[in-house]
Amino acid sequence: MKLADNKATLSFSNGSPSVELPVYHGNIGPDVIDIRKLYGQTGMFTYDPGFLSTASCQSAITYIDGDKGELLYRGYPIEQLATKCDYLDTCYLLLKGELPSAGQRADFHKLVLDHTMVNEQMQFFLRGFRRDAHPMAVLTGLVGAMSAFYHDSTDINNPEHRDVAAIRLIAKMPTLVAMAYKYGKGEPYMYPQNNLSYAGNFLRMMFGTPCEEYKVNPVIERAMDRIFILHADHEQNASTSTVRLCGSSGTNPFAAISAGVACLWGPAHGGANEACLNMLEDIQRQGGVSKVGEFMEKVKDKNSGVKLMGFGHRVYKNYDPRAKLMQETCNEVLAELGLENDPLFKLAKELEKIALEDDYFVQRKLYPNVDFYSGIVQRAIGIPVNLFTGIFALARTVGWIAQLNEMISDPEYKIGRPRQLFTGSPRRDVA
């Protein structure tokens, strides 16, 4: 952090002495006012529900400018990474801080792809779940259970353990997600095949069977890889903050990542694309494209209780840069699979058209977000709606690990302990 020349002065109207607070510059983005000594100086806390104006940490990993619609991984625009790199290149960047050289790239790809198998006992662990269990319930358990199978890399304060755990998590998450999917279908698990790409291997484990050879479609493979890149990290969101908070206690990396999976499950976070597809299916049942106008009018009516899922974003006040890339991928996948005229996809296109042209949505900057398009792409590929969030967790794992490692390496880090504004009963005695 760079200390600014100026300071912030906090004054009080009740005559209490004013307090000077240090100001720090980031490399880009808003400055921060350092309030760490506020309680000691004034006896007061700040109050900021949802952390809308609070920086909980300093980080060098991901930067978002919501007004510009800009997303940078380690300084590189997401548009360039999604078109010039693959997911494992992006993983290396997030973990190491720089894009790999040719030699580093080959070594890292081999390292990850050589560790895609999971302990054979994991399949017996799976059998404890009902076949109709939500995949995120299964994944939360499986990821947490990794600490029991890989207990030689659970010391979060040991850099070597963190490195080993990072590779294991990135390599094995596709296998675990595919296993959760196959278990729900009652199909045999497909062992990973390390001569395939990261995305290609995942598709084979998802959709291949022992009955015949599975051939990876390069268009679908590229689309899957792009979904992974676009979801790899997103600054201090709810699940990332959960991983950091959980990890701040010194718990093992697998437990911290499992906490992130659980947080991601929520419909306001990782479950947003699932909620978006459910919304489209509801409109389709009510009459499809002919009912879009009526539905959008209900969205405008605040008293109707109808919400437009997959549009707008808490951070982006401009077009989500990930959405533009996902829109291109969406069109490529639909064309490749001959689904341009699928009723649900035609419905989605009509919804998109209205949202981009109607003044109500344009003025409120309710642009389609990445969840809108990624849900459509995943449905077209054949991924069931209830697995969408599992795909998100797979992609986000590297971001969680990078953030966790950064926090543990920060000499200023402490166990997370938010404060509160207490509004309950004051002290009283039992009669």
Side-chain angles (χ1 to χ4, degrees):
M1 295 192 296
K2 294 181 290 187
L3 185 64
D5 294 332
N6 60 304
K7 294 184 177 181
T9 302
L10 179 63
S11 59
F12 304 90
S13 59
N14 63 359
S16 297
S18 60
V19 176
E20 284 194 339
L21 300 168
V23 175
Y24 288 94
H25 296 309
N27 288 350
I28 47 176
D31 294 343
V32 299
I33 301 170
D34 186 348
I35 60 168
R36 283 176 288 183
K37 296 182 179 179
L38 180 67
Y39 177 63
Q41 292 177 305
T42 67
M44 289 188 287
F45 304 138
T46 57
Y47 180 64
D48 186 20
F51 307 107
L52 298 179
S53 300
T54 299
S56 61
C57 63
Q58 52 177 308
S59 180
I61 299 171
T62 301
Y63 175 75
I64 299 169
D65 188 323
D67 293 328
K68 291 182 180 177
E70 183 177 64
L71 171 61
L72 308 176
Y73 290 170
R74 300 285 191 180
Y76 291 102
I78 191 66
E79 297 90 340
Q80 295 178 21
L81 293 171
T83 53
K84 298 180 180 180
C85 302
D86 69 12
Y87 178 67
L88 289 184
D89 296 337
T90 305
C91 288
Y92 188 97
L93 171 68
L94 291 172
L95 291 172
K96 309 288 187 180
E98 299 291 343
L99 285 169
S101 65
Q104 291 168 333
R105 183 180 192 272
D107 290 344
F108 185 76
H109 277 60
K110 186 177 188 304
L111 182 63
V112 172
L113 295 174
D114 281 354
H115 287 84
T116 49
M117 288 186 67
V118 298
N119 191 295
E120 195 73 0
Q121 283 184 265
M122 291 292 269
Q123 64 175 286
F124 301 115
F125 184 83
L126 258 173
R127 292 179 188 175
F129 291 97
R130 287 171 52 121
R131 290 280 180 182
D132 61 354
H134 195 288
M136 287 299 281
V138 176
L139 275 178
T140 303
L142 288 178
V143 175
M146 286 179 73
S147 58
F149 291 97
Y150 305 106
H151 48 76
D152 60 337
S153 58
T154 55
D155 183 357
I156 203 168
N157 294 309
N158 185 322
E160 290 182 8
H161 281 215
R162 293 201 303 270
D163 287 345
V164 171
I167 297 302
R168 282 176 169 162
L169 281 159
I170 294 166
K172 299 177 194 304
M173 275 297 282
T175 310
L176 295 179
V177 173
M179 286 176 71
Y181 171 67
K182 289 293 194 183
Y183 179 74
K185 290 195 73 180
E187 291 185 0
Y189 308 123
M190 295 292 288
Y191 287 107
Q193 204 168 75
N194 296 347
N195 62 319
L196 297 175
S197 72
Y198 189 85
N201 182 45
F202 175 66
L203 289 169
R204 179 184 171 276
M205 289 191 292
M206 282 284 291
F207 302 117
T209 68
C211 309
E212 58 188 356
E213 183 183 355
Y214 179 83
K215 293 184 179 179
V216 178
N217 182 319
V219 174
I220 307 305
E221 180 182 23
R222 187 165 59 249
M224 202 77 251
D225 194 77
R226 180 169 285 188
I227 287 173
F228 294 160
I229 292 172
L230 298 183
H231 290 85
D233 197 51
H234 209 241
E235 217 192 73
Q236 306 308 315
N237 51 77
S239 59
T240 298
S241 298
T242 297
V243 170
R244 278 181 172 262
L245 188 60
C246 184
S248 74
S249 72
T251 191
N252 69 78
F254 304 108
I257 300 305
S258 179
V261 174
C263 180
L264 192 71
W265 192 353
H269 191 12
N273 48 16
E274 183 175 342
C276 178
L277 257 292
N278 288 335
M279 174 194 72
L280 291 174
E281 288 172 351
D282 285 342
I283 300 172
Q284 185 63 29
R285 281 191 292 269
Q286 293 165 16
V289 173
S290 64
K291 295 293 182 179
V292 169
E294 184 180 319
F295 174 81
M296 295 299 254
E297 289 304 315
K298 290 179 181 177
V299 170
K300 296 177 186 179
D301 180 3
K302 293 182 179 179
N303 298 318
S304 70
V306 176
K307 292 184 177 180
L308 181 61
M309 306 303 294
F311 289 77
H313 196 280
R314 171 144 158 199
V315 173
Y316 295 107
K317 305 308 174 190
N318 203 319
Y319 211 113
D320 181 343
R322 302 170 302 167
K324 293 178 181 177
L325 294 159
M326 208 68 249
Q327 182 188 44
E328 295 172 7
T329 297
C330 183
N331 292 331
E332 289 172 5
V333 168
L334 296 184
E336 174 68 17
L337 299 177
L339 291 172
E340 302 99 323
N341 294 318
D342 180 280
L344 203 67
F345 298 130
K346 289 181 74 174
L347 172 61
K349 287 291 184 184
E350 184 63 25
L351 208 64
E352 173 194 42
K353 184 174 183 292
I354 292 175
L356 292 176
E357 295 177 356
D358 190 301
D359 286 343
Y360 177 89
F361 300 102
V362 173
Q363 289 173 8
R364 288 164 176 78
K365 299 183 179 180
L366 294 175
Y367 302 108
N369 59 37
V370 69
D371 300 310
F372 180 74
Y373 295 111
S374 68
I376 296 170
V377 171
Q378 289 181 73
R379 183 183 184 274
I381 291 172
I383 296 168
V385 174
N386 68 352
L387 195 64
F388 287 0
T389 318
I391 304 294
F392 195 159
L394 188 172
R396 183 56 57 85
T397 294
V398 66
W400 289 331
I401 296 166
Q403 296 275 350
L404 181 63
N405 288 350
E406 180 181 63
M407 180 194 71
I408 298 299
S409 302
D410 186 345
E412 292 188 337
Y413 112 86
K414 297 177 176 63
I415 185 172
R417 180 56 171 89
R419 300 295 194 165
Q420 66 177 19
L421 175 64
F422 181 70
T423 57
S425 173
R427 179 191 169 100
R428 49 185 171 172
D429 298 321
V430 178

PDB file of all heavy atoms in Angstrom, residues 123 126 131 178-190 203-211:
ATOM      1  N   GLN A 123     -15.584 -42.693  -4.397  1.00  0.00           N
ATOM      2  CA  GLN A 123     -16.844 -43.173  -4.961  1.00  0.00           C
ATOM      3  C   GLN A 123     -17.713 -43.834  -3.892  1.00  0.00           C
ATOM      4  O   GLN A 123     -18.937 -43.787  -3.971  1.00  0.00           O
ATOM      5  CB  GLN A 123     -16.598 -44.130  -6.123  1.00  0.00           C
ATOM      6  CG  GLN A 123     -15.901 -45.417  -5.782  1.00  0.00           C
ATOM      7  CD  GLN A 123     -15.822 -46.350  -6.977  1.00  0.00           C
ATOM      8  OE1 GLN A 123     -16.807 -46.950  -7.374  1.00  0.00           O
ATOM      9  NE2 GLN A 123     -14.634 -46.434  -7.569  1.00  0.00           N
ATOM     10  N   LEU A 126     -19.429 -41.118  -2.048  1.00  0.00           N
ATOM     11  CA  LEU A 126     -20.575 -40.641  -2.831  1.00  0.00           C
ATOM     12  C   LEU A 126     -21.839 -41.440  -2.546  1.00  0.00           C
ATOM     13  O   LEU A 126     -22.947 -40.903  -2.560  1.00  0.00           O
ATOM     14  CB  LEU A 126     -20.247 -40.738  -4.322  1.00  0.00           C
ATOM     15  CG  LEU A 126     -19.848 -39.464  -5.063  1.00  0.00           C
ATOM     16  CD1 LEU A 126     -19.403 -39.809  -6.467  1.00  0.00           C
ATOM     17  CD2 LEU A 126     -20.992 -38.470  -5.103  1.00  0.00           C
ATOM     18  N   ARG A 131     -29.545 -40.381  -4.576  1.00  0.00           N
ATOM     19  CA  ARG A 131     -29.286 -40.186  -6.016  1.00  0.00           C
ATOM     20  C   ARG A 131     -29.827 -38.851  -6.503  1.00  0.00           C
ATOM     21  O   ARG A 131     -29.313 -38.285  -7.470  1.00  0.00           O
ATOM     22  CB  ARG A 131     -29.947 -41.312  -6.818  1.00  0.00           C
ATOM     23  CG  ARG A 131     -29.283 -42.676  -6.636  1.00  0.00           C
ATOM     24  CD  ARG A 131     -28.041 -42.838  -7.483  1.00  0.00           C
ATOM     25  NE  ARG A 131     -27.424 -44.147  -7.294  1.00  0.00           N
ATOM     26  CZ  ARG A 131     -26.309 -44.544  -7.867  1.00  0.00           C
ATOM     27  NH1 ARG A 131     -25.662 -43.724  -8.675  1.00  0.00           N
ATOM     28  NH2 ARG A 131     -25.804 -45.732  -7.645  1.00  0.00           N
ATOM     29  N   ALA A 178     -17.892 -34.174 -12.357  1.00  0.00           N
ATOM     30  CA  ALA A 178     -18.384 -35.211 -13.273  1.00  0.00           C
ATOM     31  C   ALA A 178     -18.899 -36.423 -12.499  1.00  0.00           C
ATOM     32  O   ALA A 178     -19.913 -37.030 -12.876  1.00  0.00           O
ATOM     33  CB  ALA A 178     -17.269 -35.630 -14.238  1.00  0.00           C
ATOM     34  N   MET A 179     -18.233 -36.794 -11.422  1.00  0.00           N
ATOM     35  CA  MET A 179     -18.686 -37.913 -10.600  1.00  0.00           C
ATOM     36  C   MET A 179     -20.044 -37.618  -9.970  1.00  0.00           C
ATOM     37  O   MET A 179     -20.921 -38.497  -9.919  1.00  0.00           O
ATOM     38  CB  MET A 179     -17.656 -38.218  -9.514  1.00  0.00           C
ATOM     39  CG  MET A 179     -16.391 -38.911 -10.024  1.00  0.00           C
ATOM     40  SD  MET A 179     -15.143 -39.143  -8.722  1.00  0.00           S
ATOM     41  CE  MET A 179     -15.927 -40.424  -7.741  1.00  0.00           C
ATOM     42  N   ALA A 180     -20.224 -36.394  -9.492  1.00  0.00           N
ATOM     43  CA  ALA A 180     -21.514 -36.011  -8.904  1.00  0.00           C
ATOM     44  C   ALA A 180     -22.627 -36.119  -9.945  1.00  0.00           C
ATOM     45  O   ALA A 180     -23.743 -36.576  -9.651  1.00  0.00           O
ATOM     46  CB  ALA A 180     -21.435 -34.591  -8.348  1.00  0.00           C
ATOM     47  N   TYR A 181     -22.320 -35.711 -11.183  1.00  0.00           N
ATOM     48  CA  TYR A 181     -23.294 -35.793 -12.274  1.00  0.00           C
ATOM     49  C   TYR A 181     -23.621 -37.244 -12.618  1.00  0.00           C
ATOM     50  O   TYR A 181     -24.794 -37.629 -12.718  1.00  0.00           O
ATOM     51  CB  TYR A 181     -22.731 -35.067 -13.495  1.00  0.00           C
ATOM     52  CG  TYR A 181     -23.536 -35.250 -14.764  1.00  0.00           C
ATOM     53  CD1 TYR A 181     -24.822 -34.728 -14.880  1.00  0.00           C
ATOM     54  CD2 TYR A 181     -22.997 -35.946 -15.855  1.00  0.00           C
ATOM     55  CE1 TYR A 181     -25.557 -34.890 -16.046  1.00  0.00           C
ATOM     56  CE2 TYR A 181     -23.720 -36.109 -17.017  1.00  0.00           C
ATOM     57  CZ  TYR A 181     -24.995 -35.578 -17.113  1.00  0.00           C
ATOM     58  OH  TYR A 181     -25.728 -35.746 -18.264  1.00  0.00           O
ATOM     59  N   LYS A 182     -22.599 -38.059 -12.787  1.00  0.00           N
ATOM     60  CA  LYS A 182     -22.794 -39.466 -13.140  1.00  0.00           C
ATOM     61  C   LYS A 182     -23.538 -40.214 -12.031  1.00  0.00           C
ATOM     62  O   LYS A 182     -24.377 -41.080 -12.307  1.00  0.00           O
ATOM     63  CB  LYS A 182     -21.440 -40.138 -13.392  1.00  0.00           C
ATOM     64  CG  LYS A 182     -20.740 -39.693 -14.672  1.00  0.00           C
ATOM     65  CD  LYS A 182     -21.495 -40.140 -15.914  1.00  0.00           C
ATOM     66  CE  LYS A 182     -20.636 -40.014 -17.166  1.00  0.00           C
ATOM     67  NZ  LYS A 182     -21.383 -40.390 -18.391  1.00  0.00           N
ATOM     68  N   TYR A 183     -23.236 -39.885 -10.801  1.00  0.00           N
ATOM     69  CA  TYR A 183     -23.900 -40.551  -9.672  1.00  0.00           C
ATOM     70  C   TYR A 183     -25.400 -40.285  -9.699  1.00  0.00           C
ATOM     71  O   TYR A 183     -26.219 -41.186  -9.503  1.00  0.00           O
ATOM     72  CB  TYR A 183     -23.299 -40.061  -8.352  1.00  0.00           C
ATOM     73  CG  TYR A 183     -23.945 -40.684  -7.135  1.00  0.00           C
ATOM     74  CD1 TYR A 183     -23.685 -42.003  -6.789  1.00  0.00           C
ATOM     75  CD2 TYR A 183     -24.815 -39.951  -6.326  1.00  0.00           C
ATOM     76  CE1 TYR A 183     -24.273 -42.583  -5.667  1.00  0.00           C
ATOM     77  CE2 TYR A 183     -25.401 -40.518  -5.209  1.00  0.00           C
ATOM     78  CZ  TYR A 183     -25.134 -41.835  -4.890  1.00  0.00           C
ATOM     79  OH  TYR A 183     -25.725 -42.406  -3.783  1.00  0.00           O
ATOM     80  N   GLY A 184     -25.762 -39.020  -9.969  1.00  0.00           N
ATOM     81  CA  GLY A 184     -27.182 -38.672 -10.042  1.00  0.00           C
ATOM     82  C   GLY A 184     -27.897 -39.378 -11.173  1.00  0.00           C
ATOM     83  O   GLY A 184     -29.098 -39.678 -11.069  1.00  0.00           O
ATOM     84  N   LYS A 185     -27.182 -39.655 -12.254  1.00  0.00           N
ATOM     85  CA  LYS A 185     -27.784 -40.335 -13.403  1.00  0.00           C
ATOM     86  C   LYS A 185     -27.750 -41.853 -13.278  1.00  0.00           C
ATOM     87  O   LYS A 185     -28.418 -42.568 -14.042  1.00  0.00           O
ATOM     88  CB  LYS A 185     -27.056 -39.941 -14.690  1.00  0.00           C
ATOM     89  CG  LYS A 185     -27.281 -38.504 -15.127  1.00  0.00           C
ATOM     90  CD  LYS A 185     -26.845 -38.291 -16.569  1.00  0.00           C
ATOM     91  CE  LYS A 185     -27.816 -38.936 -17.540  1.00  0.00           C
ATOM     92  NZ  LYS A 185     -27.434 -38.747 -18.943  1.00  0.00           N
ATOM     93  N   GLY A 186     -26.947 -42.358 -12.348  1.00  0.00           N
ATOM     94  CA  GLY A 186     -26.800 -43.805 -12.217  1.00  0.00           C
ATOM     95  C   GLY A 186     -25.905 -44.410 -13.279  1.00  0.00           C
ATOM     96  O   GLY A 186     -25.949 -45.613 -13.538  1.00  0.00           O
ATOM     97  N   GLU A 187     -25.063 -43.578 -13.898  1.00  0.00           N
ATOM     98  CA  GLU A 187     -24.149 -44.062 -14.929  1.00  0.00           C
ATOM     99  C   GLU A 187     -22.772 -44.334 -14.326  1.00  0.00           C
ATOM    100  O   GLU A 187     -22.412 -43.740 -13.301  1.00  0.00           O
ATOM    101  CB  GLU A 187     -24.004 -43.028 -16.055  1.00  0.00           C
ATOM    102  CG  GLU A 187     -25.256 -42.849 -16.901  1.00  0.00           C
ATOM    103  CD  GLU A 187     -25.018 -41.897 -18.067  1.00  0.00           C
ATOM    104  OE1 GLU A 187     -23.883 -41.386 -18.194  1.00  0.00           O
ATOM    105  OE2 GLU A 187     -25.957 -41.679 -18.848  1.00  0.00           O
ATOM    106  N   PRO A 188     -21.978 -45.197 -14.941  1.00  0.00           N
ATOM    107  CA  PRO A 188     -20.625 -45.462 -14.422  1.00  0.00           C
ATOM    108  C   PRO A 188     -19.737 -44.234 -14.554  1.00  0.00           C
ATOM    109  O   PRO A 188     -19.876 -43.446 -15.488  1.00  0.00           O
ATOM    110  CB  PRO A 188     -20.119 -46.600 -15.309  1.00  0.00           C
ATOM    111  CG  PRO A 188     -20.951 -46.536 -16.550  1.00  0.00           C
ATOM    112  CD  PRO A 188     -22.297 -46.023 -16.126  1.00  0.00           C
ATOM    113  N   TYR A 189     -18.848 -44.073 -13.576  1.00  0.00           N
ATOM    114  CA  TYR A 189     -17.898 -42.966 -13.625  1.00  0.00           C
ATOM    115  C   TYR A 189     -16.906 -43.192 -14.752  1.00  0.00           C
ATOM    116  O   TYR A 189     -16.531 -44.326 -15.059  1.00  0.00           O
ATOM    117  CB  TYR A 189     -17.135 -42.854 -12.302  1.00  0.00           C
ATOM    118  CG  TYR A 189     -18.010 -42.791 -11.082  1.00  0.00           C
ATOM    119  CD1 TYR A 189     -17.864 -43.718 -10.058  1.00  0.00           C
ATOM    120  CD2 TYR A 189     -18.996 -41.811 -10.946  1.00  0.00           C
ATOM    121  CE1 TYR A 189     -18.668 -43.684  -8.924  1.00  0.00           C
ATOM    122  CE2 TYR A 189     -19.800 -41.770  -9.826  1.00  0.00           C
ATOM    123  CZ  TYR A 189     -19.639 -42.703  -8.816  1.00  0.00           C
ATOM    124  OH  TYR A 189     -20.451 -42.658  -7.709  1.00  0.00           O
ATOM    125  N   MET A 190     -16.487 -42.107 -15.359  1.00  0.00           N
ATOM    126  CA  MET A 190     -15.462 -42.169 -16.403  1.00  0.00           C
ATOM    127  C   MET A 190     -14.145 -41.673 -15.810  1.00  0.00           C
ATOM    128  O   MET A 190     -14.067 -40.557 -15.290  1.00  0.00           O
ATOM    129  CB  MET A 190     -15.865 -41.294 -17.595  1.00  0.00           C
ATOM    130  CG  MET A 190     -17.102 -41.775 -18.325  1.00  0.00           C
ATOM    131  SD  MET A 190     -16.846 -43.336 -19.192  1.00  0.00           S
ATOM    132  CE  MET A 190     -15.812 -42.785 -20.549  1.00  0.00           C
ATOM    133  N   LEU A 203     -15.400 -32.739 -20.396  1.00  0.00           N
ATOM    134  CA  LEU A 203     -16.546 -33.098 -21.236  1.00  0.00           C
ATOM    135  C   LEU A 203     -16.643 -34.609 -21.407  1.00  0.00           C
ATOM    136  O   LEU A 203     -17.743 -35.183 -21.368  1.00  0.00           O
ATOM    137  CB  LEU A 203     -16.424 -32.419 -22.602  1.00  0.00           C
ATOM    138  CG  LEU A 203     -16.637 -30.898 -22.610  1.00  0.00           C
ATOM    139  CD1 LEU A 203     -16.217 -30.307 -23.952  1.00  0.00           C
ATOM    140  CD2 LEU A 203     -18.103 -30.551 -22.316  1.00  0.00           C
ATOM    141  N   ARG A 204     -15.505 -35.268 -21.584  1.00  0.00           N
ATOM    142  CA  ARG A 204     -15.520 -36.726 -21.726  1.00  0.00           C
ATOM    143  C   ARG A 204     -16.000 -37.401 -20.440  1.00  0.00           C
ATOM    144  O   ARG A 204     -16.783 -38.353 -20.481  1.00  0.00           O
ATOM    145  CB  ARG A 204     -14.126 -37.225 -22.102  1.00  0.00           C
ATOM    146  CG  ARG A 204     -14.055 -38.746 -22.256  1.00  0.00           C
ATOM    147  CD  ARG A 204     -12.634 -39.217 -22.539  1.00  0.00           C
ATOM    148  NE  ARG A 204     -12.581 -40.682 -22.471  1.00  0.00           N
ATOM    149  CZ  ARG A 204     -12.432 -41.367 -21.339  1.00  0.00           C
ATOM    150  NH1 ARG A 204     -12.317 -40.719 -20.181  1.00  0.00           N
ATOM    151  NH2 ARG A 204     -12.400 -42.682 -21.351  1.00  0.00           N
ATOM    152  N   MET A 205     -15.527 -36.922 -19.287  1.00  0.00           N
ATOM    153  CA  MET A 205     -15.963 -37.510 -18.018  1.00  0.00           C
ATOM    154  C   MET A 205     -17.454 -37.268 -17.770  1.00  0.00           C
ATOM    155  O   MET A 205     -18.124 -38.070 -17.124  1.00  0.00           O
ATOM    156  CB  MET A 205     -15.141 -36.945 -16.855  1.00  0.00           C
ATOM    157  CG  MET A 205     -13.709 -37.428 -16.815  1.00  0.00           C
ATOM    158  SD  MET A 205     -12.846 -37.014 -15.276  1.00  0.00           S
ATOM    159  CE  MET A 205     -12.735 -35.228 -15.394  1.00  0.00           C
ATOM    160  N   MET A 206     -17.965 -36.170 -18.299  1.00  0.00           N
ATOM    161  CA  MET A 206     -19.390 -35.844 -18.138  1.00  0.00           C
ATOM    162  C   MET A 206     -20.271 -36.671 -19.062  1.00  0.00           C
ATOM    163  O   MET A 206     -21.272 -37.260 -18.634  1.00  0.00           O
ATOM    164  CB  MET A 206     -19.608 -34.358 -18.440  1.00  0.00           C
ATOM    165  CG  MET A 206     -19.208 -33.420 -17.318  1.00  0.00           C
ATOM    166  SD  MET A 206     -20.385 -33.383 -15.953  1.00  0.00           S
ATOM    167  CE  MET A 206     -21.771 -32.573 -16.758  1.00  0.00           C
ATOM    168  N   PHE A 207     -19.915 -36.719 -20.332  1.00  0.00           N
ATOM    169  CA  PHE A 207     -20.838 -37.241 -21.345  1.00  0.00           C
ATOM    170  C   PHE A 207     -20.384 -38.551 -21.997  1.00  0.00           C
ATOM    171  O   PHE A 207     -21.131 -39.148 -22.770  1.00  0.00           O
ATOM    172  CB  PHE A 207     -21.072 -36.176 -22.415  1.00  0.00           C
ATOM    173  CG  PHE A 207     -21.623 -34.892 -21.856  1.00  0.00           C
ATOM    174  CD1 PHE A 207     -20.901 -33.712 -21.954  1.00  0.00           C
ATOM    175  CD2 PHE A 207     -22.843 -34.867 -21.206  1.00  0.00           C
ATOM    176  CE1 PHE A 207     -21.400 -32.520 -21.430  1.00  0.00           C
ATOM    177  CE2 PHE A 207     -23.354 -33.679 -20.673  1.00  0.00           C
ATOM    178  CZ  PHE A 207     -22.626 -32.508 -20.782  1.00  0.00           C
ATOM    179  N   GLY A 208     -19.180 -38.994 -21.705  1.00  0.00           N
ATOM    180  CA  GLY A 208     -18.715 -40.259 -22.257  1.00  0.00           C
ATOM    181  C   GLY A 208     -19.273 -41.445 -21.476  1.00  0.00           C
ATOM    182  O   GLY A 208     -19.685 -41.321 -20.323  1.00  0.00           O
ATOM    183  N   THR A 209     -19.301 -42.613 -22.107  1.00  0.00           N
ATOM    184  CA  THR A 209     -19.692 -43.864 -21.452  1.00  0.00           C
ATOM    185  C   THR A 209     -18.698 -44.946 -21.874  1.00  0.00           C
ATOM    186  O   THR A 209     -18.022 -44.814 -22.900  1.00  0.00           O
ATOM    187  CB  THR A 209     -21.115 -44.310 -21.857  1.00  0.00           C
ATOM    188  OG1 THR A 209     -21.112 -44.680 -23.243  1.00  0.00           O
ATOM    189  CG2 THR A 209     -22.130 -43.198 -21.610  1.00  0.00           C
ATOM    190  N   PRO A 210     -18.605 -46.027 -21.093  1.00  0.00           N
ATOM    191  CA  PRO A 210     -17.691 -47.111 -21.474  1.00  0.00           C
ATOM    192  C   PRO A 210     -18.114 -47.838 -22.751  1.00  0.00           C
ATOM    193  O   PRO A 210     -17.336 -48.610 -23.305  1.00  0.00           O
ATOM    194  CB  PRO A 210     -17.763 -48.064 -20.270  1.00  0.00           C
ATOM    195  CG  PRO A 210     -18.311 -47.247 -19.153  1.00  0.00           C
ATOM    196  CD  PRO A 210     -19.225 -46.263 -19.788  1.00  0.00           C
ATOM    197  N   CYS A 211     -19.332 -47.570 -23.228  1.00  0.00           N
ATOM    198  CA  CYS A 211     -19.865 -48.298 -24.389  1.00  0.00           C
ATOM    199  C   CYS A 211     -19.195 -47.928 -25.696  1.00  0.00           C
ATOM    200  O   CYS A 211     -19.139 -48.731 -26.633  1.00  0.00           O
ATOM    201  CB  CYS A 211     -21.368 -48.045 -24.524  1.00  0.00           C
ATOM    202  SG  CYS A 211     -22.301 -48.335 -23.025  1.00  0.00           S
TER     203      CYS A 211
END
